[in-house]
């Protein structure tokens, strides 16, 4: 009998996004008796059953003071483009629910134009007591000019010191915390704020900004300026659905996901942590399903400017199908240590899979499947057990899969009813990528401004000396006995895509032998019969 070990279908994801809504809310706090209950409404917002204050002196108050990118301000205002600008009238329609004191706040109800803004003051970053937990319990909020939920100032448990940064961070004490309540469905529809200048310097002719300091820049619909934890309830049945015209879920330092079900539909990166060479995105549990619709023209599924570490849970990350982007992207290294992970894109950073087996299928043709209008892909072992049943929503050419139940053996790989064939290939680092684990060790005494390997006396800007008689535009000369038509073929190595016609048919197979660790195969289409 056929056994479905993993059934992950993006079509169900689409249907869920289309049907998400808020359930009934109650006036008591249920399992959160000590939480302050904020009930959102277009008519009247209440706090513990009383009308919200409009005085800024309270723990929770309402105001019409949303931060956004104002239209028609000129190039000295910021870096926003026309599509990122908004009118004052549009911004004034939004009610900001300010949370100004530490504590736990349960949020329910519907606010069609508004924002939840957590700000404990500019000194909060260094205050271990400056912590806020937002319990999302059937909350529905929409903001068209800025993030719908934002943490401005809370305690920062991490460091932005790049020299001592590692892939292992502990965000337990972070000041920004979110709990997705069991049984709840929460909807966040948000925008972003393009970079607004605090100060700037102009070119000599005064026509462009040559240097600037940032006042505001918030890229995601759900955003935190400090490290953030996202947790589920005890049962992990709560849903957080985020849709955004730019990035979905963002942090300026670290982000840790421990539970709940997060569904993201974004115009750019689904998840982004953006401190260069420092940020760590960690997924320990829960479900994270990301669909990048590419409305901005690009977008990775998960993009960390530092490290990406997946220790458990279920992750589906699809990048934009119209740009060179990856389902999983990081600058310093991506590690899959556990959990079930599916990632698609048109390019791929190196992923190091520890403690379980992974397989990467690289197709020699783009797989066209926008909005699920394609066939599903699945793996079968020799006993007809199905380990992967995946219906993608965006075009892709690379499919990565890792699962604790995937064991070494021979597998067939299918696209609908078509059995696919291919060859084994070795993994190569993308040009410019750092090796896994961080920066390569530099020679003793090396300074960042130095260029290793240059001739003595070489000055930046000089051209290295060319061979005598060399003319610009010439190709490097190959040895006299070099024959480009004789490309050696052997298991573990293939020619580049432009040389597919040179692949030795003896190594093309309908069976894919998966070994422990990372496995990489090139899929040939149309299906090639050995």
């Amino acid at each position: 009998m056929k056994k479905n070990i993993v059934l992950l279908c993006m079509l169900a994801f689409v249907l869920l996004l289309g049907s998400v809504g808020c359930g009934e809310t109650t006036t008591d706090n249920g399992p959160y008796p000590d939480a302050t209950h904020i009930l959102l409404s277009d008519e009247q917002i209440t706090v513990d059953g009383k009308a919200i204050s409009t005085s800024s002196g309270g723990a929770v108050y309402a105001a019409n003071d949303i931060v956004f990118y104002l239209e028609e301000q000129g190039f000295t205002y910021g870096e926003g483009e026309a599509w990122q600008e908004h009118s004052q009238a549009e911004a004034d329609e939004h009610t900001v629910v300010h949370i100004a004191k530490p504590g736990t706040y349960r949020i329910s109800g519907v606010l069609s134009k508004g924002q939840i803004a957590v700000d404990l003051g500019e000194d909060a970053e260094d205050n271990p007591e400056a912590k806020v937990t937002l319990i999302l319990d059937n909350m529905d909020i929409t903001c068209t000019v800025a993030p719908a939920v934002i943490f401005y100032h809370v305690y920062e448990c991490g460091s932005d010191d790049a020299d001592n940064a590692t892939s292992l961070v502990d965000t337990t004490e972070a000041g920004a915390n979110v709990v997705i309540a069991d049984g709840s469905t929460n909807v966040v529809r948000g925008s972003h704020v393009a970079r607004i200048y605090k100060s700037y310097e102009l070119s000599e002719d005064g026509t462009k900004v040559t240097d600037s300091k940032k006042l505001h820049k918030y890229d995601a619909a759900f955003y935190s300026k400090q490290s953030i934890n996202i947790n589920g309830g005890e049962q992990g049945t709560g849903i957080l659905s985020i849709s955004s015209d730019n990035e979905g879920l963002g942090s300026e330092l670290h982000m840790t996901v421990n539970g709940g079900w997060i569904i993201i539909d974004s115009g750019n990166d689904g998840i982004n942590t953006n401190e260069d060479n420092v940020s760590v995105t960690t997924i320990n549990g829960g479900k994270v399903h990301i669909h990048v619709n590419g409305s901005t023209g690009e977008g990775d599924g998960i993009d960390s400017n530092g490290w990406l570490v997946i220790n458990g849970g279920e992750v589906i990350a699809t990048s934009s199908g119209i740009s060179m982007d990856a389902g999983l992207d990081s600058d310093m290294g991506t590690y899959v240590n556990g959990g079930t992970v599916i990632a698609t894109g048109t390019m791929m950073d190196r992923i190091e899979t520890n403690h379980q087996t992974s397989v990467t299928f690289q197709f020699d043709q783009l797989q066209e499947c926008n909005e699920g209008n394609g066939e599903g892909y699945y793996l079968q072992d020799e006993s007809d057990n199905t380990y992967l049943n995946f219906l993608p929503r965006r075009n892709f050419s690379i499919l990565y899969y890792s699962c604790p139940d995937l064991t070494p053996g021979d597998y067939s790989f299918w696209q609908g009813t078509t059995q696919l064939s291919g060859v084994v290939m070795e993994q190569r680092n993308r040009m410019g990528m750092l090796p896994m684990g961080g920066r390569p060790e530099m020679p003793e005494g090396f300074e960042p401004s130095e260029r290793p390997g240059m001739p003595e006396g070489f000055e930046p800007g000089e051209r290295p000396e060319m061979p005598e008689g060399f003319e610009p535009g010439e190709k490097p000369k190959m040895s006299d006995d070099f024959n480009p038509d004789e490309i050696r073929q052997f298991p573990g190595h293939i020619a580049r895509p432009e040389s597919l016609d040179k692949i030795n048919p003896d190594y093309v197979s309908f069976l894919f032998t998966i070994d422990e660790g990372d496995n990489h195969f090139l899929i040939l289409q149309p299906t090639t019969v050995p």
Side-chain angles (χ1 to χ4, degrees), residues 189 206 298 305 385 401 487 501 504 513:
R189 306 176 191 88
E298 61 181 344
N305 289 14
N385 295 322
Y401 173 62
I487 298 180
D501 57 322
N504 189 330
T513 300

Side-chain angles (χ1 to χ4, degrees), residues 429-461:
N429 280 341
R430 194 177 67 196
M431 287 295 292
M433 286 300 298
L434 295 171
M436 296 299 293
R439 301 169 176 170
E441 187 174 346
M442 292 295 144
E444 185 176 352
F446 176 79
E447 295 295 332
S449 59
E450 294 180 7
R451 295 188 179 189
M454 293 298 162
E456 184 177 352
F458 177 81
E459 294 293 333

Side-chain angles (χ1 to χ4, degrees), residues 143-317:
C143 185
T144 64
V145 300
V149 179
I150 185 167
F151 288 83
Y152 282 113
H153 296 107
V154 291
Y155 176 60
E156 178 53 76
C157 64
S159 168
D160 60 2
D161 178 9
D163 291 335
N164 296 302
T166 74
S167 63
L168 301 176
V169 298
D170 182 0
T171 61
T172 305
E173 297 302 319
N177 298 277
V178 175
V179 176
I180 308 170
D182 283 334
S184 70
T185 298
N186 304 275
V187 181
V188 172
R189 306 176 191 88
S191 184
H192 67 290
V193 179
R195 183 185 176 101
I196 300 173
Y197 297 141
K198 180 178 181 180
S199 62
Y200 58 86
E201 296 179 9
L202 295 177
S203 59
E204 289 186 5
D205 60 5
T207 60
K208 61 181 179 180
V209 174
T210 58
D211 193 17
S212 66
K213 292 185 178 180
K214 178 183 70 174
L215 178 62
H216 299 291
K217 184 177 184 291
Y218 314 120
D219 293 328
F222 199 120
Y223 196 79
S224 179
K225 292 183 66 177
Q226 278 80 48
S227 296
I228 185 172
N229 296 312
I230 300 178
N231 303 285
E234 291 184 3
Q235 300 172 13
T237 58
I239 297 170
L240 169 59
S241 171
I242 300 173
S243 58
S244 175
D245 60 1
N246 195 49
E247 294 176 359
L249 178 59
S251 168
E252 293 188 9
L253 197 53
H254 306 309
M255 179 187 301
T256 302
V257 177
N258 295 310
W261 188 351
I262 303 171
I263 302 170
I264 298 174
D265 188 291
S266 59
N268 207 301
D269 299 337
I271 290 177
N272 180 268
T273 49
N274 58 43
E275 182 67 29
D276 291 346
N277 304 325
V278 176
S279 286
V280 182
T281 301
T282 306
I283 300 175
N284 294 320
K287 296 180 180 181
V288 179
H289 291 188
I290 296 171
H291 161 60
V292 178
N293 60 55
S295 62
T296 64
E298 61 181 344
D300 296 307
I302 302 176
D303 180 4
S304 173
N305 289 14
W307 288 269
L308 170 57
V309 181
I310 301 174
N311 296 316
E314 177 182 289
V315 177
I316 301 175

Side-chain angles (χ1 to χ4, degrees), residues 375-378 413-421 510 525-527:
E375 296 178 296
Y377 298 78
Y378 61 96
F413 185 40
W414 299 77
Q415 179 186 11
T417 58
T418 302
Q419 187 173 358
L420 302 176
S421 64
F510 281 102
Q525 292 179 312
T527 297

Side-chain angles (χ1 to χ4, degrees), residues 24-56:
E24 295 182 0
T25 60
T26 60
T27 56
D28 64 71
N29 276 335
Y32 310 104
D34 298 327
T36 298
H37 184 204
I38 302 172
L39 181 59
L40 304 177
S41 172
D42 289 340
E43 286 71 39
Q44 184 183 63
I45 300 170
T46 62
V47 179
D48 286 339
K50 298 179 181 180
I52 191 169
S53 171
T54 56
S55 171
S56 60

